[in-house]
Amino acid sequence: MRSNPLHEDAPYFQGQVIEAYTRGNFVDLAHAARITLVETYREGGAWFKANAGESKRKAKALVQLHREKVRESMYELTLYHHARAQSSRKMEDDATAVSWDQRFIETFPDDPRRKQVQFLLAEIHYDQENYLQALAD
């Protein structure tokens, strides 16, 4: 993957890296691998642009296949950062959690878990005593 991160199969192998780290209980490494997956293989990212030139049917299938991996990884990242923000009570962890929550909501507005992520976002704003923003979320 390092030698050719834009290869059409690179997101698949990145998913395998995440799975291996998760099975091995390497939480921090799995977390970093999820961030790499989301940042590199998201729709509109470098991989997406590099593979858009494939035959339309093949490109569409590739994007759809890897979109689900990105969606799942981004959801896991929202949960991870929310839990970290709750346990640390640090403003920078809150800001990171808010950022991941908002990215998930914006990127996957039709996901059935969107309401749960919105609730998590509102919870952070409530904990910060930003009640108007919590109500808006």
Side-chain angles (χ1 to χ4, degrees):
M1 290 181 315
R2 287 184 183 150
S3 64
N4 193 358
L6 301 181
H7 187 276
E8 68 182 45
D9 293 329
Y12 168 79
F13 289 111
Q14 185 65 28
Q16 295 299 308
V17 168
I18 293 168
E19 188 174 324
Y21 286 150
T22 301
R23 285 184 182 176
N25 203 26
F26 298 108
V27 177
D28 292 337
L29 292 173
H31 173 73
R34 282 188 185 94
I35 290 174
T36 298
L37 182 99
V38 168
E39 294 297 334
T40 307
Y41 306 111
R42 66 182 168 79
E43 195 167 334
W47 178 88
F48 181 86
K49 290 174 185 172
N51 285 280
E54 297 287 324
S55 70
K56 287 193 177 200
R57 192 177 77 209
K58 185 176 181 181
K60 188 174 182 175
L62 280 171
V63 167
Q64 190 59 36
L65 172 70
H66 299 303
R67 181 175 169 83
E68 293 306 314
K69 286 184 186 269
V70 170
R71 178 193 313 255
E72 289 307 310
S73 288
M74 192 178 286
Y75 180 70
E76 290 293 324
L77 288 167
T78 63
L79 297 179
Y80 173 89
H81 284 289
H82 186 78
R84 184 177 177 141
Q86 282 192 320
S87 67
S88 76
R89 299 291 184 202
K90 293 180 181 175
M91 290 299 288
E92 59 267 16
D93 288 339
D94 284 353
T96 301
V98 165
S99 174
W100 280 106
D101 290 350
Q102 289 172 335
R103 286 178 69 183
F104 183 85
I105 291 165
E106 291 168 8
T107 306
F108 302 106
D110 298 329
D111 190 283
R113 298 167 295 191
R114 179 176 164 253
K115 289 183 180 184
Q116 178 189 3
V117 174
Q118 279 184 289
F119 177 82
L120 295 175
L121 181 59
E123 189 174 53
I124 290 171
H125 288 297
Y126 183 86
D127 289 345
Q128 293 174 338
E129 298 180 5
N130 188 352
Y131 303 121
L132 292 176
Q133 187 62 49
L135 282 172
D137 293 335

